[in-house]
Amino acid sequence: MAKNVVVIGGVACGPKAAARLRRLNAQARITVIEQGEYISYAGCGLPYFVGGDIKEFEHLFATAAGAARNAGYFQKVKDIQFATRTRAESIDRTAKVVHAKNLATGESIEFPYDNLVLATGSRPFRPPVEGLELKGVSFLTKVEDSVFLREEVNESKGGKAVIIGAGLIGLEAAEAFRKKGWQVQIIEMLDQPLGGLMDFEMAKAIDNALFENNVMTAYGEKVVRIEGDENGHCKSVITDEGSYPADVVLVATGFRPNAELAKSAGLEIGPTGGIAVNEHMQTSDPAIYAGGDCVECRHLVTGKPVFVPLGSTANKHGRVIGDNIAGLESRFPGVLGTMVVKVFNMNAGRTGLTEREAAEAGFDPVCSIAPGFDKAHYYPGSALIGLKLIADRKTEKVLGLQAFGGGEVARRVDVAVAAITMGATVEQLAEFDLGYAPPFAQAVDAILNAANVANNKMRGVTRSIMPQRVKQMIEAEEDFILLDVRTPREYEMGHIDAPQTMNLPLGELREKALSALPQDKPIVTMCKISQRGYEAQRTLAGMGFKDVAFMDGGLFVWPYPDDVM
Amino acid sequence: MAKNVVVIGGVACGPKAAARLRRLNAQARITVIEQGEYISYAGCGLPYFVGGDIKEFEHLFATAAGAARNAGYFQKVKDIQFATRTRAESIDRTAKVVHAKNLATGESIEFPYDNLVLATGSRPFRPPVEGLELKGVSFLTKVEDSVFLREEVNESKGGKAVIIGAGLIGLEAAEAFRKKGWQVQIIEMLDQPLGGLMDFEMAKAIDNALFENNVMTAYGEKVVRIEGDENGHCKSVITDEGSYPADVVLVATGFRPNAELAKSAGLEIGPTGGIAVNEHMQTSDPAIYAGGDCVECRHLVTGKPVFVPLGSTANKHGRVIGDNIAGLESRFPGVLGTMVVKVFNMNAGRTGLTEREAAEAGFDPVCSIAPGFDKAHYYPGSALIGLKLIADRKTEKVLGLQAFGGGEVARRVDVAVAAITMGATVEQLAEFDLGYAPPFAQAVDAILNAANVANNKMRGVTRSIMPQRVKQMIEAEEDFILLDVRTPREYEMGHIDAPQTMNLPLGELREKALSALPQDKPIVTMCKISQRGYEAQRTLAGMGFKDVAFMDGGLFVWPYPDDVM
């Protein structure tokens, strides 16, 4: 007898599970319930629709071949029924029936199932502040949000947008607003953008990109309320430190899984608040699968449950669910929390664990911050990228990578994804036979170089020191030499302005170090990207200087731009 | 006592080994012997110097920070002595002495060593044809070659260049000549460019890029001789099929390792003709190391020795050699034969084994050809890339990847490099948590999609057929239906012109297939990129059609452009 499969949720995981099941099983009756009007849309594209990169509303719903992914398309091409504007209200697991309501007519409908798929997605977190209901205050998670915001930024020219939250959506939206000529103010509770996703010194580079593109930022401020005018329209955002005028307020403070339906049906909910599933994407009820933004995933490095809602993961979940319902055993092993983002002319990304996460998870992290060129440095258009590789001292395995820069970043992130997933050590990563030609990489690719530096540190071949620690040493007025080994011309164009700073170019080091540098003081060598800094560290150590370290990342990653004169 | 280390060869591996050793060992006396005038230059950049992408001669020798990497630089910064214009003539392994000759003065010099490093590089293969000595005939491997060619293409406008060989150098040079407005004719013995590196249908895409950029190609032709004029300058290239006028002839027919010095010293030479080394890059004499273009490497998939000269590998070798001489144990595991190349507006790459190589090596290759977009298809600037993934049916491990397209290709190649190196199966690859955001990838990245398709084939979930086989079926006038399921408009704009071709759009398939298609004939479904073709295959199979397969790669990878009307 043909299976009856009901899917709740029609955006990413739901339609994918339905389509995959149909390709494997021609007989199953497949129905997708969706409370909204729109189905199978590109939720991740919404910020680009607001900013106008995506010109037409229809593009958010079109297949690569240009067909509109509406209910008719799914019916005709895939023999999948959609019930839109229909809300699932409860699940009777004993009778195997979903009780739903047609939101247009108010009518109750029952959907019997043999297998049920929960793809109920996530919703934006609503911070506990007054004024979220005011006109002009929006989230950016639904198609309707993007239509509203696009109309707002197009209608009035030169308005003021306040974005609450410097996460992915906040950053992408900042670029969209700026493209339309709006003033943008970001307010973020933490002291950096992408808090939790990137370590401080790497996130600061993103902050610099915001600064250079005239996005104003207020870190470490907490929003207290949004104030409205006499028409019920937002007027300003009030924080614990100030007030920011706002024609539009975008609230982008993260997501929460829509797990209520599952919870009230008695299904197990995980510690993150997402629906708990096994490797087959099965909930605690074997007849019910769940995937996409409403579930929690296993982190592949820590083994712990995490909530990382992402369209790419939702698609993987859908496929695995379709497989398993069709009787084809299939597993979803977990995630690394990978993200890539474009912030104006900067690309950034991360995967695995940050230094802080690694330490918290009980690893002994060894980090290398190794900037390098994305192409051969002499090839036109080559650009510097900053990489931070995190590895475990004990197992020498790669734990995480963070990257930013004007050049190609996603490639290095994806290589790290593969390395971490497969349990590669830094030594194994360093020998990867990655593609090389001048338009694509240095002869030693930036990520291989980062692996070499981490390996050097693990094997005690070199000593280095993080920029934050150097900053502390400067502020504590410690007695050390911050030796900038760049050329005098580079030095004049900008260096760390501190009493400890001294310029002695690498080319003169062997000749002059013994006379110019004291043997009894700690020396921290540095340059632009820490390559010459490293060479200088090795040179001075070789000459007998006892306490020499180079500063990780050089000036390119130095997170305190105000110190550079 | 300080070690005496002599390095023969001053371009890539040699200087790297010397520099790495110096960083680990401040005492060693390090001397590099180089027969040429130039040292530590970017050999891979030479084609870009010819074409003018690299403007200044000096850029080929400069560090990223702009310092000139000449003998003075190595002396001052790294305490490494260079003896340029000095040729090593023989090695006395008993006395541990290199006998050399100063090419400027004719004087004999002895270099005693404790450890010797052979980094003698490779030389271009000289095909056995008359006329190689004529003026205007050049290779492109040395700095002097690139200077000659750059002057040639700049001096006379609109000349005719004949390139013998459609390998990497040949393709890069073709672009360089075209940039200067020259007519370019490539002559290649095999029936495709990048023979051996890519399977036929993938290489054809590169041929299309050449065609679109007005590079003339003659495949399957063998050069017989080069004819000169009365001034001893080349005039034309004569093949077994015709004659091609030539103002400049570039010979780019591969490389041979410079292993003669090693051989005459009694060191073991491998089956490829390269110097045999172990994982520590030691030759059969433990005091002598060798690396770079003069050695053979182990292929990481087959375990067999291969000769793949490449700047990236030479740098890795140098580092490992420096480590081991310094007493830091370090290994070079092998290569995958990875390459990436820019051919005009197309990027291409490959790693691991081709389908043919996999079959020859005794694997049972399962291949998926899965084109996809390099970014979200709705994101501005997204472009199609064609991926061919090769996996082993028995172990399900990934064996190789080939890729081409106007979009980002190197990232997918590098992910495959990591996957193959670490022994990932297609199922593991399909679940990699790769970076996703609309400016960087589809929600299901193209390489994950390729892994899914390969997995489908292995698990018998779908059936497909390679384009070459479809071509055979057409030519043999077999009785089958080539079902193009694109829209009528797409079909009109270009389709495979064969009696078996029929157009029935995917959207009408469920409704009309039973009446429009015979149940008793084989059906091959196809579309632009084989996504709808696959959907159609599943749909028809589900409707009871017995013999349905989709055509791998769709029209995007169809290697016979003349058939498309």
Side-chain angles (χ1 to χ4, degrees):
Chain A
M1 219 191 80
K3 259 193 182 181
N4 220 351
V5 178
V6 174
V7 178
I8 304 178
V11 179
C13 175
K16 181 76 178 187
R20 175 67 177 168
L21 175 60
R22 171 57 72 228
R23 286 194 283 268
L24 298 176
N25 183 329
Q27 281 72 47
R29 283 191 301 276
I30 309 175
T31 309
V32 181
I33 305 174
E34 165 58 41
Q35 64 179 347
E37 189 180 335
Y38 302 107
I39 63 167
S40 194
Y41 60 82
C44 316
L46 300 182
Y48 302 97
F49 178 68
V50 173
D53 280 324
I54 300 173
K55 302 260 178 283
E56 304 293 333
F57 181 65
E58 287 70 27
H59 288 175
L60 295 169
F61 304 89
T63 69
R69 281 194 311 257
N70 53 28
Y73 166 84
F74 275 93
Q75 160 83 69
K76 239 167 98 169
V77 172
K78 296 172 195 271
D79 188 22
I80 293 168
Q81 313 303 317
F82 263 81
T84 55
R85 307 236 41 212
T86 303
R87 190 169 62 215
E89 307 253 301
S90 66
I91 303 164
D92 182 340
R93 288 167 51 200
T94 316
K96 290 195 167 180
V97 169
V98 174
H99 295 279
K101 191 188 206 169
N102 183 320
L103 295 178
T105 63
E107 180 194 1
S108 291
I109 327 175
E110 293 191 349
F111 293 92
Y113 67 84
D114 295 302
N115 281 122
L116 177 64
V117 179
L118 300 177
T120 45
S122 63
R123 60 179 180 278
F125 173 65
R126 296 176 72 88
V129 300
E130 281 170 42
L132 291 181
E133 74 297 340
L134 290 167
K135 276 181 264 176
V137 178
S138 179
F139 296 91
L140 180 46
T141 53
K142 290 189 295 190
V143 173
E144 292 84 348
D145 298 335
S146 72
V147 171
F148 166 77
L149 288 171
R150 176 149 163 162
E151 280 173 3
E152 282 289 307
V153 294
N154 275 339
E155 266 175 19
S156 43
K157 305 256 184 264
K160 291 184 172 73
V162 171
I163 298 174
I164 305 177
L168 290 170
I169 301 275
L171 296 180
E172 288 172 348
E175 184 174 350
F177 283 120
R178 287 293 301 136
K179 274 203 170 170
K180 297 293 184 181
W182 276 49
Q183 285 184 36
V184 179
Q185 170 73 52
I186 293 181
I187 300 170
E188 165 61 50
M189 218 164 60
L190 302 175
D191 64 345
Q192 62 169 76
L194 297 178
L197 288 173
M198 294 184 91
D199 289 316
F200 174 75
E201 75 283 358
M202 299 299 282
K204 277 303 280 187
I206 293 166
D207 186 48
N208 292 343
L210 295 173
F211 180 79
E212 280 168 19
N213 287 282
N214 295 311
V215 174
M216 291 167 287
T217 51
Y219 295 107
E221 287 192 35
K222 214 174 133 87
V223 172
V224 178
R225 65 178 184 281
I226 305 170
E227 284 188 346
D229 62 17
E230 60 279 11
N231 302 316
H233 196 282
C234 67
K235 195 177 72 182
S236 58
V237 176
I238 314 296
T239 73
D240 51 0
E241 297 194 25
S243 164
Y244 300 91
D247 298 310
V248 159
V249 176
L250 175 66
V251 184
T253 48
F255 291 87
R256 295 293 180 271
N258 290 329
E260 290 71 16
L261 189 66
K263 193 175 178 184
S264 62
L267 297 175
E268 191 187 329
I269 305 299
T272 69
I275 302 172
V277 288
N278 64 17
E279 276 201 325
H280 301 106
M281 305 309 297
Q282 256 168 328
T283 67
S284 53
D285 179 338
I288 304 180
Y289 292 79
D293 287 9
C294 64
V295 305
E296 61 181 28
C297 299
R298 196 176 74 96
H299 195 287
L300 289 170
V301 178
T302 64
K304 298 233 170 84
V306 285
F307 176 65
V308 189
L310 212 59
S312 49
T313 303
N315 270 281
K316 291 192 183 90
H317 287 171
R319 192 172 196 275
V320 168
I321 292 170
D323 279 355
N324 286 309
I325 293 179
L328 195 69
E329 205 207 327
S330 189
R331 288 158 200 275
F332 179 77
V335 299
L336 286 174
T338 312
M339 75 89 186
V340 286
V341 64
K342 180 180 167 301
V343 184
F344 297 93
N345 47 351
M346 176 169 287
N347 302 312
R350 60 91 70 199
T351 189
L353 304 180
T354 59
E355 182 177 4
R356 189 155 70 181
E357 286 175 320
E360 283 168 4
F363 295 98
D364 180 3
V366 177
C367 303
S368 64
I369 304 183
F373 284 89
D374 67 334
K375 306 171 177 44
H377 69 265
Y378 53 78
Y379 191 82
S382 66
L384 274 178
I385 54 176
L387 301 181
K388 178 174 183 175
L389 189 78
I390 296 103
D392 178 35
R393 189 178 299 276
K394 197 173 133 205
T395 61
E396 301 194 357
K397 284 188 179 176
V398 182
L399 299 175
L401 182 82
Q402 297 161 60
F404 71 84
E408 204 292 329
V409 153
R411 172 147 44 106
R412 281 74 189 197
V413 171
D414 278 357
V415 168
V417 167
I420 298 169
T421 305
M422 300 302 296
T425 63
V426 287
E427 201 173 338
Q428 286 177 307
L429 170 57
E431 302 302 341
F432 279 2
D433 186 16
L434 299 179
Y436 165 57
F440 302 102
Q442 303 176 139
V444 181
D445 187 80
I447 192 172
L448 304 187
N449 186 42
N452 282 332
V453 175
N455 200 14
N456 278 340
K457 291 197 191 186
M458 283 186 182
R459 297 168 92 170
V461 167
T462 190
R463 275 183 61 207
S464 71
I465 181 167
M466 284 281 159
Q468 293 96 314
R469 175 73 192 112
V470 175
K471 174 75 170 171
Q472 284 172 357
M473 289 162 67
I474 293 172
E475 294 197 331
E477 298 179 8
E478 289 186 26
D479 190 17
F480 75 106
I481 292 174
L482 181 57
L483 188 68
D484 191 326
V485 298
R486 296 175 301 151
T487 62
R489 188 177 162 202
E490 289 174 277
Y491 183 83
E492 287 311 320
M493 286 171 71
H495 58 267
I496 296 172
D497 187 39
Q500 294 91 341
T501 302
M502 177 178 164
N503 181 220
L504 181 58
L506 181 64
E508 300 174 18
L509 205 56
R510 288 187 183 274
E511 191 187 331
K512 299 189 180 163
L514 285 176
S515 59
L517 298 173
Q519 297 260 5
D520 57 337
K521 273 193 197 181
I523 300 174
V524 176
T525 60
M526 64 160 291
C527 64
K528 186 174 175 190
I529 60 172
S530 72
Q531 205 166 344
R532 283 172 288 173
Y534 160 58
E535 183 87 33
Q537 191 271 331
R538 296 310 308 143
T539 302
L540 292 175
M543 292 173 79
F545 287 83
K546 293 285 172 260
D547 187 356
V548 196
F550 73 90
M551 187 174 81
D552 289 287
L555 208 55
F556 185 66
V557 181
W558 179 252
Y560 313 98
D562 294 348
D563 297 347
V564 179
M565 301 284 164
Chain B
M1 218 191 82
K3 260 194 183 183
N4 221 351
V5 177
V6 174
V7 178
I8 304 177
V11 179
C13 173
K16 182 75 178 191
R20 174 67 177 167
L21 175 60
R22 171 58 72 230
R23 285 193 284 267
L24 298 177
N25 183 329
Q27 281 72 46
R29 282 190 302 274
I30 310 175
T31 309
V32 181
I33 305 174
E34 165 59 40
Q35 64 178 347
E37 190 180 334
Y38 302 108
I39 62 168
S40 194
Y41 58 84
C44 315
L46 299 182
Y48 302 98
F49 178 68
V50 173
D53 280 325
I54 300 173
K55 301 260 177 284
E56 305 292 334
F57 182 64
E58 288 70 28
H59 288 175
L60 295 168
F61 305 89
T63 68
R69 283 194 310 256
N70 52 28
Y73 165 84
F74 275 92
Q75 159 83 68
K76 239 167 100 171
V77 173
K78 295 172 197 269
D79 188 20
I80 293 168
Q81 312 305 316
F82 264 79
T84 56
R85 307 239 35 216
T86 302
R87 190 168 63 213
E89 307 255 300
S90 67
I91 303 165
D92 182 340
R93 287 167 51 201
T94 316
K96 291 196 169 179
V97 169
V98 175
H99 295 279
K101 190 188 206 170
N102 183 319
L103 294 179
T105 64
E107 181 194 3
S108 291
I109 327 174
E110 293 191 348
F111 294 92
Y113 65 82
D114 295 303
N115 281 122
L116 176 64
V117 178
L118 300 178
T120 44
S122 62
R123 60 178 179 277
F125 173 65
R126 295 175 72 88
V129 299
E130 282 169 42
L132 291 181
E133 75 296 342
L134 290 166
K135 275 180 266 176
V137 178
S138 179
F139 298 90
L140 180 46
T141 53
K142 291 190 295 190
V143 172
E144 292 84 348
D145 298 335
S146 72
V147 171
F148 166 76
L149 288 170
R150 175 147 164 165
E151 280 174 4
E152 281 291 305
V153 296
N154 275 340
E155 268 174 17
S156 42
K157 305 256 185 264
K160 292 184 172 73
V162 171
I163 298 173
I164 306 177
L168 290 170
I169 301 276
L171 296 179
E172 289 173 347
E175 184 174 350
F177 283 119
R178 288 292 303 135
K179 276 203 168 167
K180 296 293 182 178
W182 276 49
Q183 286 184 35
V184 179
Q185 171 72 52
I186 292 180
I187 301 171
E188 165 61 49
M189 218 165 57
L190 303 174
D191 64 345
Q192 63 169 77
L194 297 178
L197 288 174
M198 294 185 90
D199 290 316
F200 175 75
E201 76 283 356
M202 300 298 282
K204 278 302 281 187
I206 292 166
D207 186 48
N208 292 342
L210 295 173
F211 179 81
E212 280 168 19
N213 287 282
N214 295 311
V215 174
M216 289 166 289
T217 51
Y219 296 107
E221 286 191 36
K222 214 173 134 86
V223 172
V224 179
R225 65 177 183 281
I226 305 170
E227 285 187 347
D229 61 17
E230 59 280 10
N231 302 316
H233 196 281
C234 66
K235 195 178 70 182
S236 59
V237 176
I238 314 295
T239 72
D240 51 0
E241 296 193 27
S243 165
Y244 301 90
D247 298 312
V248 159
V249 177
L250 176 65
V251 184
T253 48
F255 292 87
R256 295 294 179 272
N258 290 329
E260 289 71 18
L261 188 66
K263 194 176 176 186
S264 62
L267 298 176
E268 190 187 330
I269 305 299
T272 70
I275 303 172
V277 289
N278 64 17
E279 277 202 325
H280 300 106
M281 305 308 296
Q282 258 169 328
T283 66
S284 53
D285 180 339
I288 305 180
Y289 292 78
D293 286 9
C294 64
V295 306
E296 61 182 29
C297 299
R298 198 175 72 95
H299 195 288
L300 289 169
V301 177
T302 64
K304 298 233 170 81
V306 285
F307 176 63
V308 189
L310 213 59
S312 49
T313 303
N315 271 280
K316 291 191 182 92
H317 287 170
R319 193 173 197 275
V320 168
I321 292 171
D323 280 355
N324 286 309
I325 293 180
L328 196 68
E329 204 207 328
S330 187
R331 289 158 199 275
F332 179 76
V335 300
L336 287 174
T338 312
M339 75 89 188
V340 287
V341 63
K342 179 179 167 301
V343 185
F344 297 94
N345 47 350
M346 175 170 289
N347 302 312
R350 60 91 71 198
T351 189
L353 304 181
T354 60
E355 181 177 5
R356 189 157 69 179
E357 286 175 320
E360 283 168 4
F363 295 99
D364 180 3
V366 178
C367 303
S368 63
I369 303 184
F373 284 90
D374 67 333
K375 308 170 175 46
H377 68 265
Y378 54 77
Y379 190 81
S382 66
L384 274 179
I385 54 176
L387 301 182
K388 178 174 183 174
L389 189 78
I390 295 103
D392 178 36
R393 189 179 299 278
K394 196 173 135 206
T395 61
E396 301 194 358
K397 285 186 179 178
V398 182
L399 298 176
L401 182 82
Q402 295 160 61
F404 71 84
E408 204 292 328
V409 153
R411 172 147 44 107
R412 282 75 189 196
V413 171
D414 278 357
V415 168
V417 168
I420 298 169
T421 306
M422 299 303 295
T425 64
V426 288
E427 201 173 337
Q428 286 178 307
L429 170 56
E431 303 301 342
F432 278 3
D433 186 16
L434 299 180
Y436 167 56
F440 303 101
Q442 302 174 139
V444 181
D445 187 80
I447 192 171
L448 304 187
N449 186 43
N452 281 332
V453 176
N455 200 15
N456 278 341
K457 291 197 190 187
M458 283 186 183
R459 296 167 92 169
V461 167
T462 190
R463 275 183 62 206
S464 71
I465 180 166
M466 283 280 158
Q468 293 96 313
R469 176 74 193 112
V470 175
K471 174 75 170 172
Q472 286 172 355
M473 289 163 66
I474 292 172
E475 295 197 332
E477 298 180 7
E478 288 186 27
D479 190 19
F480 76 104
I481 292 173
L482 182 56
L483 189 68
D484 191 326
V485 299
R486 295 175 302 150
T487 62
R489 188 177 160 202
E490 289 174 279
Y491 184 82
E492 289 310 322
M493 285 171 70
H495 58 266
I496 296 172
D497 186 39
Q500 295 92 340
T501 301
M502 177 179 164
N503 181 221
L504 181 58
L506 181 64
E508 300 174 18
L509 205 57
R510 287 187 183 276
E511 191 187 330
K512 298 189 181 164
L514 285 176
S515 58
L517 298 173
Q519 297 260 5
D520 57 339
K521 274 193 199 180
I523 299 174
V524 176
T525 59
M526 63 159 292
C527 64
K528 186 174 175 191
I529 59 171
S530 73
Q531 205 166 343
R532 282 172 288 172
Y534 160 58
E535 183 88 33
Q537 191 272 332
R538 296 311 307 143
T539 302
L540 291 176
M543 290 174 81
F545 288 84
K546 292 286 172 257
D547 187 357
V548 197
F550 74 89
M551 188 174 80
D552 288 286
L555 208 56
F556 184 66
V557 181
W558 180 252
Y560 313 99
D562 294 349
D563 297 347
V564 178
M565 301 282 164

